[in-house]
Amino acid sequence: MFHKPNLIDGLSWLAAVGIGLVSTAGAANTEPPADFVFGNGSIYTLDADSNVAAALAVKGGYISSIGRDADIEPLIGIDTKVVDLQGRMVMPGLVDSHMHVLTGGLALLNCDMNYQPVDINQVLAHIQACIEGDGKTADDDWAEVVKLDYPSLVTKNGEVGKRELDKLQTERPIVIQSSDYHTVLLNTRALDLSNITAATPDPPGGKIERLPGGQEYSGVFQDAAARELVNLPPPTEAVRLEACRSALRLLRQAGITTFQDAVAGPDDSPGEWRGHRPRRQHKTWVGLSQNTVAEIKRMNDNSTIGPKPTMKWQAIKGFLDGVITYPARTAAVVDPYCYPVNGSETDGEWAPDPRTMNEPYWSQDILNATLEGLFLAGIDAQLHVDGDRAHPDRKGDFKLGLAHEELSYQDDWARFAALGVDPIMSFQWAQLSSFYIPSTFATLGDYRRGNLQAHRRIEEAGRPIVYGSDWPIDPLDELLALKVAVTRSGDPTNPKSPASFGPPYDGIFPGDPISRESALRAITTNGTRFLRADASIGSLEVGKLADLIALEKNYFEVPEEEIERQRVLVTMVGGEVVFATDDAQSEFGVTPRFPNFGQIGSQLDNRAIGGFDRRSLSKRGVASVARLRRRGQCTHKHRG
Ligand SMILES: *[C@@H]1O[C@H](CO)[C@@H](O)[C@H](O)[C@H]1NC(C)=O
Ligand SMILES: *[C@@H]1O[C@H](CO)[C@@H](O)[C@H](O)[C@H]1NC(C)=O
Ligand SMILES: *[C@@H]1O[C@H](CO)[C@@H](O)[C@H](O)[C@H]1NC(C)=O
Ligand SMILES: *[C@@H]1O[C@H](CO)[C@@H](O)[C@H](O)[C@H]1NC(C)=O
Ligand SMILES: *[C@@H]1O[C@H](CO)[C@@H](O)[C@H](O)[C@H]1NC(C)=O
Ligand SMILES: *[C@@H]1O[C@H](CO)[C@@H](O)[C@H](O)[C@H]1NC(C)=O
C-alpha cells in the first residue's frame, strides 16, 4: 500500500489522558505551598470562557490555582518563588504546529542570505565571503547557502543558475537553498558531484530546469529533484546536535513550548534533544514503507504528557503538491497559472497557460488507500497542500492537517468544517512580500486573490485556523506572525522586522484579518486540539501543565503596530523557567535553566547579508503592481 517514495511523514502519538490534579480556592489554606506564584498580572487563561485572572500558582509542574491575588496568597510558603508581574500579561506557551526544527537549526550554522531581496551580484559577493571565511578548504567541501529570496532574485536577474555560480572563485561545490526550500541552485562542481548529466531524468514530483535549447541543465532544481538528486553530504552528528541546541534556544526565546516538527525521521532525534527544553515535541515522520506504522509506534513516547519534555511520533506527512510562487508554480491549481504572453514579466499581458495546471503529486486512489491504512493504524496525517486543487476527501476519527493552504478554493471553505480537517496556516505569508510582488500575484491572476491566505473565510465557514510558522521558511518571529494575522500587513517600518523591505511591500494584503483572540487561539488551544494535547496544555487551567509565557506588553491592549515590537520575557515549561530575558531575571528574580545567547531581535538585526539598499527592488515592483491594479486581474486574453 505504501508505494509512493517521495512522502514525508511524521508523528504518531497516543491521545493524552486527562490529568486529574485539582485544587480549589476554598481548600487553599490546607494545601502545601506552591513552587511558583505569579501575582498582580493580566493572566489570559484562554479557557473556554476566555477568563482573565490576576494570579496563578504552580505546584509540581502543574497549575494548582488561578484566581485573584487573595486566592493565591495562602499558597505562598517559605520556598515559594513569588513573581510580581506588575500588570504584565501571562498567557499559555506558544504551540507551533508546523516547523522544521533541525533544518532551521542547521540553517543557523550555514551561509545565510537571510530572506533579503538580493540580486545576483550580492549573492555572489556574499557567498564568496562565506567560503573564504568558513574554515573549509578541500575541493570537495560543500558550501551550503540558505534562505535565498529566490523570487526577488529572479525578478531582478531572470533565471540564474550554474553559469552565474561558476563565476565564484572556488573549486568547491556550492548549493543554494531558496528560503522556501522548494528550489536549489547548484554550480557545475555540485552537479558533477551529484552525478547529474543531461541524461538524468526528472524524478517523480520534481523538475530539473534546462538552459534554453532544452539539453543542458541550468543548475536549478525544483521540489523532489531538489530533495533527492543533490548529493550534499548529510551533516555529522556533532553538527546536528549543535543545530538542535541552537534551534531550541531560539524557540525558548520565542516563547514556543510545544512544536510539531513537520519533516522528521529516526535520525532527527539525537539523544540529547530530550534534555533541551522547550518542549513538547511532535514529529512528522519521513518516508513511507511497509514498516512505517511499526517504526512510528516503536519510537513514540507513550507516556502521558507531564512536566518533563516529551517526544511524540503520531503522524505522517506527505507532499501533495509544490508551491504557488512564481516562477516555481509547482502547486496544483484548479485554474491554470497566468503566464507572460510575450516572455516579459513586467511588460505586456499575462494570460492563462493550460500547461501549467499541475496534477497533485499523488493520485486520489493512492492517497485514499494510504490515508485509510494510516488512520486504521491510529496514525494521523499532515499533507502539504499549497494550491487549491490538492484536496483529500476523508472523514472520521483522525486528525488530518492540511499544511499551508496558501491558495484555497472557495467551495472547499465549508468542506474544512464538514470534513473536520485542519488548515495549518503560516500567518507571515499574509503580508506583501517578494513572494507575491510582482510576479506571483500576476501568475495567479487578480480574480482569485481573495482566495489567498483565506484565514477569515475558512474560519467563518466553520473551521478555526491552526497556526504553524514553517520556520525556517519564514523567520522565527511568532509575534510578527500574530501581527500579520490581525492586520494583513507586516511591520515594514520596523528595522528589526524581517518584513521591513520598504515599498512596494508596505500595503495591506488582500483578504480580511482575523481577531486577536482567533489568532492567539490558533497558536495555543486550537494547536493543541490538532495535536491531541488539549487535555494537558494550550490553556491555563487548574490541573493543566504550567507551560506559559510572560510578555513585555499586553497583546490584547497594545496598538497594532506594537504587537510585534515587544519581547517574550519569560518562558516556562512544566513549571520550570527555561528562558528569561536579562532584565526579567533581575526584575522577577528568576533564573532560567539555560543560559541566554543574544536576543531574537538582535539575531534578526544581524542580517548575514545586510547593508545594501533593500528598496532597490521597488521600481519594477511598483510599476508591475500599478499595472495589475489598473488591469483588475489577469486578463485571460490570448495573444491575437
Ligand atoms: C502585588 O502587589 C502588592 C502591592 O505592591 C504587593 O504587596 C504584593 O506582594 C504583590 N503580589 C505578588 C504576588 O507579588
Ligand atoms: C557518481 O559516479 C561515479 C562514477 O560512476 C561513482 O563512483 C560515484 O559513486 C557516483 N556518485 C554518486 C553520488 O552516485
Ligand atoms: C508504546 O505502546 C506500544 C503498544 O502499546 C508498545 O509496543 C511500544 O513499545 C510503546 N512505545 C514506547 C516508546 O514505550
Ligand atoms: C507584449 O505583448 C503586448 C500585447 O500582447 C504588447 O502590448 C507589449 O508591447 C509586448 N511587450 C513586449 C516587451 O514585447
Ligand atoms: C476517495 O475517497 C473518497 C471518500 O471516501 C471517495 O469519495 C472517493 O471516490 C475516493 N476516490 C478514489 C479515486 O478512490
Ligand atoms: C479555536 O479558535 C476559534 C476561533 O477563535 C474559537 O472560537 C474556538 O473556541 C477555538 N477552539 C479551541 C478548542 O480553542
Side-chain angles (χ1 to χ4, degrees), residues 313-639:
W313 294 79
Q314 78 188 31
I316 66 95
K317 178 176 176 195
F319 283 95
L320 288 205
D321 66 353
V323 292
I324 54 173
T325 325
Y326 189 87
R329 293 167 305 166
T330 44
V333 285
V334 172
D335 289 348
Y337 292 95
C338 301
Y339 207 79
V341 176
N342 47 17
S344 164
E345 285 143 31
T346 49
D347 301 311
E349 302 297 332
W350 292 60
D353 179 348
R355 289 169 303 174
T356 61
M357 273 181 68
N358 310 311
E359 291 293 324
Y361 290 155
W362 298 13
S363 68
Q364 184 70 56
D365 54 338
I366 290 179
L367 182 64
N368 276 11
T370 306
L371 290 181
E372 189 169 65
L374 291 166
F375 293 154
L376 287 173
I379 289 171
D380 295 331
Q382 187 170 149
L383 301 175
H384 171 111
V385 174
D386 204 50
D388 56 2
R389 193 181 181 191
H391 274 118
D393 200 2
R394 283 267 150 210
K395 188 167 168 59
D397 179 23
F398 54 81
K399 299 287 183 188
L400 177 59
L402 301 179
H404 311 318
E405 286 293 347
E406 286 209 81
L407 179 71
S408 55
Y409 193 55
Q410 58 274 11
D411 292 358
D412 282 334
W413 292 335
R415 294 176 70 228
F416 294 127
L419 298 171
V421 299
D422 284 300
I424 302 168
M425 304 185 79
S426 302
F427 294 152
Q428 284 191 56
W429 297 348
Q431 64 186 320
L432 297 179
S433 72
S434 62
F435 281 91
Y436 295 105
I437 295 176
S439 296
T440 296
F441 276 156
T443 206
L444 292 172
D446 277 8
Y447 70 97
R448 54 184 162 185
R449 272 197 203 176
N451 298 36
L452 282 167
Q453 316 296 345
H455 310 153
R456 175 76 167 269
R457 309 301 295 270
I458 293 169
E459 184 183 286
E460 282 175 352
R463 196 64 181 170
I465 303 302
V466 171
Y467 170 78
S469 64
D470 211 14
W471 182 66
I473 281 74
D474 278 320
L476 188 65
D477 192 337
E478 311 289 48
L479 292 165
L480 172 64
L482 291 169
K483 199 267 176 183
V484 174
V486 304
T487 63
R488 310 288 281 187
S489 69
D491 194 359
T493 57
N494 179 1
K496 289 190 178 178
S497 166
S500 57
F501 297 149
Y505 310 121
D506 292 355
I508 305 290
F509 195 87
D512 297 316
I514 54 175
S515 71
R516 292 192 191 193
E517 169 124 9
S518 281
L520 208 56
R521 286 196 175 271
I523 193 173
T524 55
T525 48
N526 272 306
T528 53
R529 177 183 54 71
F530 170 65
L531 295 173
R532 300 181 188 264
D534 47 340
S536 319
I537 49 177
S539 57
L540 302 179
E541 297 178 64
V542 170
K544 288 196 174 182
L545 284 154
D547 284 15
L548 55 83
I549 58 176
L551 291 175
E552 195 172 30
K553 299 175 189 167
N554 188 316
Y555 164 82
F556 283 103
E557 291 174 0
V558 289
E560 285 176 345
E561 60 276 13
E562 283 182 39
I563 292 175
E564 185 221 358
R565 297 182 188 191
Q566 63 151 320
R567 293 173 302 158
V568 172
L569 295 180
V570 175
T571 304
M572 173 177 269
V573 180
E576 184 176 29
V577 175
V578 295
F579 167 75
T581 59
D582 294 342
D583 36 339
Q585 290 182 34
S586 45
E587 186 180 333
F588 297 144
V590 293
T591 308
R593 170 166 169 172
F594 302 100
N596 291 343
F597 78 149
Q599 303 296 336
I600 290 188
S602 63
Q603 289 247 335
L604 293 177
D605 278 346
N606 180 23
R607 294 168 199 284
I609 183 156
F612 53 86
D613 180 13
R614 295 195 202 105
R615 289 165 197 252
S616 63
L617 177 75
S618 58
K619 276 182 203 151
R620 291 173 77 191
V622 168
S624 176
V625 167
R627 227 183 341 272
L628 275 168
R629 283 209 191 100
R630 271 202 305 280
R631 195 179 302 144
Q633 64 173 51
C634 162
T635 53
H636 286 226
K637 188 166 75 185
H638 291 278
R639 198 144 50 141

Side-chain angles (χ1 to χ4, degrees), residues 220-232:
V220 177
F221 288 43
Q222 308 283 8
D223 274 329
R227 290 196 298 274
E228 290 164 18
L229 298 183
V230 181
N231 191 29
L232 181 67

